């Protein structure tokens, strides 16, 4: 297997998904007549998976979802616009961030409805974690997301360690 140092660094724009459109219909509603959050989460997971697979060139699995923030409801008739990018790559894992905008397409008014951050792990042919290429952020925003992903990983590892210690050393990952 090649090491990360041997892999060509890839930019976020090489793997990102920009403005994937989903038109909301009445069958997407929950009992509160707003868009069912589980549908949005499933779509986010699929789109982020594609980003992880494009970046790594491998089959990937969702390891964890750190943050899903529902900032505002989406309603029937809205157009949901999903954009996702690789924020950072480590050895075998990658943080993928996704932003969802709800657009009133009649008035061309948009609002930010969801931000989500997930960790995906690339697998080799035997199903074991495999090295992924480094990520080379290019823009100011990409560099900021890269730094913030490091903070989330620190928090995740510290949390896993606290849980491990509380359970008397039984392994938890992160
Ligand atoms: C994710 C998975 C492959 C990790 O396997 P593992 O044997 O724990 O792997 P390791 O301990 O060697 O860790 C491998 C990487 O996964 C990361 N990882 C493991 N568990 C994690 C978690 N809960 N959250 C975030 N990252 C995690 C590690 O930090 C490590 O990253 P790095 O290589 O970039 O440093 C394994 O736990 C798994 O298969 N989980 C089920 C995935 C799944 O079914 N998802 C839903 C359907 S897609």
């Amino acid at each position: 297997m090649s090491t990360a140092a041997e892999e060509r660094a890839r930019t976020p724009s090489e793997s990102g998904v920009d403005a994937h459109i989903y038109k909301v219909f009445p069958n997407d509603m929950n009992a509160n007549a707003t868009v069912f959050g589980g549908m949005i989460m499933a779509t986010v997971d699929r789109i982020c998976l594609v980003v992880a697979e494009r970046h790594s060139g491998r089959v990937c699995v969702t390891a964890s979802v750190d943050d899903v923030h529902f900032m505002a409801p989406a309603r029937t008739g809205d157009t949901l616009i999903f954009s996702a990018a690789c924020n950072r790559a480590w050895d075998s894992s990658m943080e993928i961030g996704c932003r969802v905008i709800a657009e009133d397409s009649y008035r061309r008014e948009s609002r930010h409805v969801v931000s989500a951050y997930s960790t995906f792990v690339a697998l080799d042919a035997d199903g074991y974690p495999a090295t992924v290429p480094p990520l080379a952020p290019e823009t100011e925003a990409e560099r900021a997301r890269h730094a913030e992903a490091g903070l989330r990983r620190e928090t995740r590892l510290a949390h896993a360690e606290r849980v491990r210690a509380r359970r008397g050393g039984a392994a938890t990952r992160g």
Side-chain angles (χ1 to χ4, degrees):
M1 190 204 313
S2 59
T3 65
E6 292 166 335
E7 295 263 16
R8 179 180 66 83
R10 295 182 188 159
T11 64
S13 60
E14 287 181 81
S15 55
V17 169
D18 188 31
H20 169 88
I21 297 289
Y22 182 91
K23 179 68 178 172
V24 174
F25 286 132
N27 62 317
D28 295 313
M29 297 299 110
N30 58 26
N32 192 37
T34 59
V35 174
F36 174 48
M39 183 280 285
I40 296 179
M41 288 169 68
T43 308
V44 166
D45 195 43
R46 280 175 194 260
I47 291 172
C48 291
L49 172 66
V50 170
V51 175
E53 293 192 337
R54 282 179 175 173
H55 179 80
S56 64
R58 292 183 180 274
V59 169
C60 295
V61 289
T62 315
S64 64
V65 179
D66 279 321
D67 279 316
V68 183
H69 301 280
F70 290 92
M71 282 102 150
R75 299 202 157 76
T76 188
D78 280 347
T79 304
L80 297 181
I81 305 170
F82 296 76
S83 297
C86 185
N87 290 339
R88 191 153 179 165
W90 291 279
D91 186 6
S92 66
S93 65
M94 299 149 279
E95 183 191 277
I96 314 297
C98 187
R99 179 183 175 90
V100 187
I101 302 291
E103 177 190 78
D104 177 332
S105 301
Y106 314 110
R107 298 189 175 133
R108 299 303 298 265
E109 290 170 359
S110 302
R111 58 203 187 282
H112 181 189
V113 293
V114 172
S115 275
Y117 305 95
S118 314
T119 303
F120 289 79
V121 175
L123 303 179
D124 66 17
D126 297 317
Y128 292 105
T131 307
V132 300
L135 185 82
E138 292 184 300
T139 68
E140 191 74 12
E142 289 168 359
R143 280 190 283 275
R145 289 199 287 264
H146 189 268
E148 288 163 17
L151 297 179
R152 278 186 288 273
R153 180 173 162 100
E154 278 174 22
T155 303
R156 193 164 58 240
L157 291 174
H159 175 74
E161 180 54 32
R162 280 200 303 276
V163 173
R164 189 195 61 76
R166 187 174 185 284
R167 291 178 182 173
T172 59
R173 316 311 296 247

